[in-house]
Amino acid sequence: RWPSLLKYYSHSDGVSWLEEYKARHNAGLEAQRIVASFSKRFFSEHVPCDGFSDIETLGCPSHFFEDELMCILNMEGRKGLTWKYYAKKILYFLRQQNILKNLKEYLQRPTERQSFLEGAVLIDQYCNPLSDICLKSVQAQVDDITDKVRKVLRTKNPRHPSLASKAGEVLIPEVELQRQVLDAMNCVLYEQLKYKGNELDYYNSLNSYIHQVLIRRTGIPISLSVLYLTIARQLGVKLEPVNFPSHFLLRWCQGKEGSTDIFDYTYIDAFGKGKQLTVKECEYLIGHHVTEEFYGVVTSKEVLQRMVGNLLNLGKRESTDQSYQLLRDSLDLYLAMYPDNVQHLMLQARLYFHLGIWPEKVLDILQHIQALDPSQHGAVGYLVQHTLEHIERRKEELGPEVKHRSDEKHKEVCFSIGLIMKHKRYGYNCVIYGWDPACMMGHEWIRNMNVHSLPHGPHQPFYNVLVEDGSCRYAAQENLEYNSEPREIPHPDIGRYFSEFTGIHYLANTELEIRYPEDLELTRATVQKIYSSGKE
């Protein structure tokens, strides 16, 4: 019944299976109770940071609880969308908390025990907590590449020390033997397996995730360098990471070990098919001269800092992701490594403030910033004032606004909740999850969106829609039409508002139906009229 739990047991364990069954059954009931409560508690706002407090104090084994959440997520069909939505949020939170603990434990280890590959996996896991990523499986794939390199080495030099059973535990001292390893690596990685730097889609976040680098066989300089360095070390060649500006490199010592002379090293560009560079060629690579300090070796923590910094910059660029999830995740990672960095703390506070979420946490962050750097009092004071106003407004909210179609002021509203629509001008597919009898946005938005150029201007119904590209928009009635080929809308928030997709339209969940009590009947009647008659 629960095959995914087999990994938690060994054949030698003396287990009372009846007790295990009861524990798993009870964990399932507890998970269902919590998931069911989330829609009612958090429909009108993001799940607050203290919203997970009852999960943190679970009275059941966490792996049983997680397993039930996975069962909910894997439910077949198009039903249970709201349960899946909140199960995903809870699972995301639980796994990220666990990964953060693992990252902090990793950072506390002595430097020599901090594997670059493990660090890259931790970053990957945190940004993709619902994917099945584990160090063991990533390491197995790297080992497979290493075995292929050994096969190539064996044809060139059957007595090479890297072919010994304990190779990797002892570094190879002779430069010529090291060169043979690197040549074999370049042959396997770039000629046989066709790994390459992703020049065409450089700013894709997948290039930074080590499991995706292994699947897609492409990446950016730093992710390919981590892979290259790991394989080299497993074959007895010590390469070191170099935090070179704009282009991460590795260095290979040609002189006395530990030399501080930058000319005693050859520099390796894993992004450029393992090309070996001189100091002057490194400068040609980026187009300008740099000082000697940039050729120095960096620690595993500094490598992770650069990897996270890349993701932070991508998170700032991703304008289509209205939840800024990548930016939020990368900020969490950065602050786990550098908890007192004022610049990134301020960015986190501004981000939560902009999104209108977690005002209590914003106040905590601002208090921390003020203690670290009193010179920030101007920016801190502004955000504190507006955050307190946000908290007060939330307290004054009287409950959900209920919109009845029978009201005279709503008589011009033609479309209803759950209908799949198409935008006449931009052609995107979307689903309606809210409406107003007239445009409720401010004058600036109306001016910027050129609403007055529409024949009916702002004095017509406007609809809140979830769009297939993951965005949320506010569309005028005259710009929407029924979709002749209705299909599911792949939007991350679909389960927040709807419980089921019927194949033609969406069914509002309980909380949305409370706010639009007469829409469901109209949606069904509209669908019956349009699609069953074969019109459009």
Side-chain angles (χ1 to χ4, degrees):
R1 181 164 177 181
W2 299 301
S4 60
L5 294 175
L6 277 172
K7 61 188 175 188
Y8 295 102
Y9 302 96
S10 73
H11 292 297
S12 58
D13 287 344
V15 178
S16 168
W17 292 109
L18 178 59
E19 292 307 312
E20 289 296 290
Y21 182 91
K22 285 179 181 176
R24 171 61 183 83
H25 178 72
N26 289 333
L29 294 177
E30 179 69 0
Q32 291 174 28
R33 181 190 68 78
I34 290 173
V35 170
S37 74
F38 264 52
S39 178
K40 189 169 185 178
R41 290 158 64 196
F42 306 126
F43 176 82
S44 58
E45 61 172 335
H46 282 267
V47 179
C49 22
D50 60 357
F52 297 104
S53 55
D54 46 356
I55 297 164
E56 292 178 291
T57 55
L58 281 174
C60 59
S62 60
H63 62 283
F64 284 169
F65 189 86
E66 275 199 30
D67 193 60
E68 182 63 27
L69 295 177
M70 285 304 300
C71 287
I72 293 170
L73 283 174
N74 293 329
M75 282 192 300
E76 289 185 18
R78 297 154 166 177
K79 297 185 178 182
L81 299 181
T82 300
W83 273 50
K84 289 177 182 177
Y85 175 78
Y86 287 105
K88 186 175 179 180
K89 282 203 172 299
I90 295 167
L91 193 58
Y92 208 95
F93 169 81
L94 282 173
R95 290 194 174 170
Q96 283 196 326
Q97 292 301 105
N98 196 39
I99 296 159
L100 269 189
K101 271 188 223 164
N102 294 340
L103 175 63
K104 287 171 182 174
E105 183 272 323
Y106 168 91
L107 293 169
Q108 286 168 359
R109 287 185 217 157
T111 310
E112 63 275 9
R113 287 186 52 233
Q114 292 178 344
S115 143
F116 293 101
L117 187 68
E118 184 180 355
V121 168
L122 285 166
I123 289 173
D124 191 348
Q125 288 174 325
Y126 193 81
C127 295
N128 303 285
L130 301 182
S131 299
D132 188 16
I133 305 160
C134 69
L135 179 60
K136 187 177 178 182
S137 114
V138 170
Q139 184 66 61
Q141 292 174 74
V142 174
D143 290 345
D144 186 51
I145 299 172
T146 307
D147 288 340
K148 286 181 170 65
V149 176
R150 284 199 180 97
K151 283 180 185 175
V152 171
L153 260 180
R154 190 171 283 113
T155 64
K156 307 285 185 186
N157 182 356
R159 301 179 68 183
H160 195 285
S162 288
L163 302 175
S165 58
K166 292 189 177 179
E169 293 179 20
V170 180
L171 295 175
I172 301 166
E174 295 88 352
V175 170
E176 183 51 38
L177 291 174
Q178 292 179 19
R179 188 183 306 280
Q180 290 175 14
V181 170
L182 298 181
D183 288 346
M185 281 176 55
N186 290 346
C187 173
V188 170
L189 278 171
Y190 303 112
E191 292 176 31
Q192 291 183 12
L193 299 178
K194 308 295 184 191
Y195 275 80
K196 61 180 180 180
N198 195 345
E199 294 177 352
L200 295 177
D201 193 14
Y202 191 88
Y203 295 105
N204 187 329
S205 60
L206 298 182
N207 295 324
S208 294
Y209 303 140
I210 195 70
H211 87 284
Q212 288 288 352
V213 171
L214 290 163
I215 291 169
R216 299 159 73 237
R217 300 187 182 184
T218 189
I220 52 175
I222 193 165
S223 56
L224 289 169
S225 291
V226 167
L227 176 61
Y228 197 99
L229 174 150
T230 302
I231 296 168
R233 289 195 172 188
Q234 287 184 188
L235 293 165
V237 180
K238 183 181 180 183
L239 300 182
E240 298 173 303
V242 176
N243 215 356
F244 205 65
S246 307
H247 198 106
F248 199 87
L249 296 171
L250 299 169
R251 73 179 193 181
W252 170 34
C253 187
Q254 307 285 287
K256 186 181 176 184
E257 188 179 349
S259 170
T260 55
D261 185 348
I262 64 172
F263 295 98
D264 279 345
Y265 293 87
T266 292
Y267 298 88
I268 296 175
D269 179 12
F271 186 82
K273 299 189 175 180
K275 187 177 179 183
Q276 295 172 11
L277 308 169
T278 63
V279 168
K280 186 57 70 179
E281 286 171 328
C282 290
E283 294 183 352
Y284 288 148
L285 188 66
I286 60 170
H288 61 85
H289 172 70
V290 295
T291 55
E292 287 195 9
E293 65 186 290
F294 290 105
Y295 292 91
V297 66
V298 288
T299 65
S300 50
K301 184 176 180 181
E302 289 168 315
V303 172
L304 296 197
Q305 178 187 353
R306 179 141 171 184
M307 293 184 92
V308 172
N310 288 338
L311 290 169
L312 261 170
N313 291 330
L314 291 177
K316 291 173 187 174
R317 291 166 64 105
E318 286 193 355
S319 55
T320 55
D321 178 13
Q322 296 190 333
S323 69
Y324 292 92
Q325 192 62 57
L326 180 56
L327 183 55
R328 288 158 66 180
D329 290 344
S330 45
L331 273 172
D332 287 345
L333 287 166
Y334 197 98
L335 291 168
M337 293 188 283
Y338 302 97
D340 294 336
N341 184 289
V342 170
Q343 179 189 353
H344 289 86
L345 283 166
M346 184 61 82
L347 177 57
Q348 190 177 56
R350 288 185 188 280
L351 177 61
Y352 291 156
F353 177 77
H354 167 74
L355 294 172
I357 61 173
W358 300 353
E360 291 80 9
K361 185 168 183 178
V362 172
L363 292 178
D364 288 343
I365 296 168
L366 294 172
Q367 189 176 8
H368 186 40
I369 293 170
Q370 188 64 37
L372 291 169
D373 184 3
S375 70
Q376 297 284 335
H377 68 274
V380 167
Y382 173 85
L383 284 173
V384 166
Q385 178 188 340
H386 286 273
T387 302
L388 289 171
E389 289 173 4
H390 174 82
I391 292 170
E392 285 305 310
R393 279 197 303 274
R394 200 172 60 178
K395 286 178 183 173
E396 292 167 6
E397 288 174 2
L398 301 173
E401 180 190 1
V402 179
K403 294 180 178 177
H404 292 279
R405 289 193 162 266
S406 49
D407 285 0
E408 179 65 22
K409 61 182 179 180
H410 297 153
K411 66 178 182 179
E412 301 297 327
V413 179
C414 295
F415 307 132
S416 52
I417 302 297
L419 287 175
I420 310 291
M421 311 297 289
K422 195 176 192 74
H423 197 280
K424 292 179 183 176
R425 184 174 175 188
Y426 299 120
Y428 61 71
N429 299 306
C430 58
V431 57
I432 296 171
Y433 72 96
W435 50 257
D436 296 308
C439 183
M440 301 300 286
M441 301 299 273
H443 295 299
E444 188 176 348
W445 186 90
I446 289 172
R447 186 175 66 250
N448 290 341
M449 301 304 290
N450 207 18
V451 172
H452 286 293
S453 68
L454 295 170
H456 295 94
H459 308 296
Q460 62 175 310
F462 270 69
Y463 297 85
N464 302 101
V465 294
L466 300 176
V467 183
E468 58 192 343
D469 66 1
S471 62
C472 305
R473 304 194 190 183
Y474 196 50
Q477 181 163 281
E478 66 185 78
N479 279 338
L480 294 176
E481 62 184 355
Y482 297 120
N483 196 315
S484 58
E485 297 178 355
R487 56 177 182 262
E488 280 189 271
I489 303 297
H491 193 285
D493 281 348
I494 205 85
R496 183 175 179 181
Y497 304 102
F498 302 103
S499 60
E500 181 183 342
F501 180 61
T502 66
I504 297 176
H505 68 96
Y506 280 93
L507 294 179
N509 62 22
T510 305
E511 296 304 313
L512 190 63
E513 202 174 343
I514 287 170
R515 289 155 175 79
Y516 297 91
E518 296 162 12
D519 271 45
L520 179 58
E521 190 178 331
L522 180 61
T523 297
R524 282 176 171 154
T526 303
V527 165
Q528 182 78 14
K529 180 181 174 184
I530 295 172
Y531 301 111
S532 63
S533 63
K535 289 181 182 177
E536 280 202 289

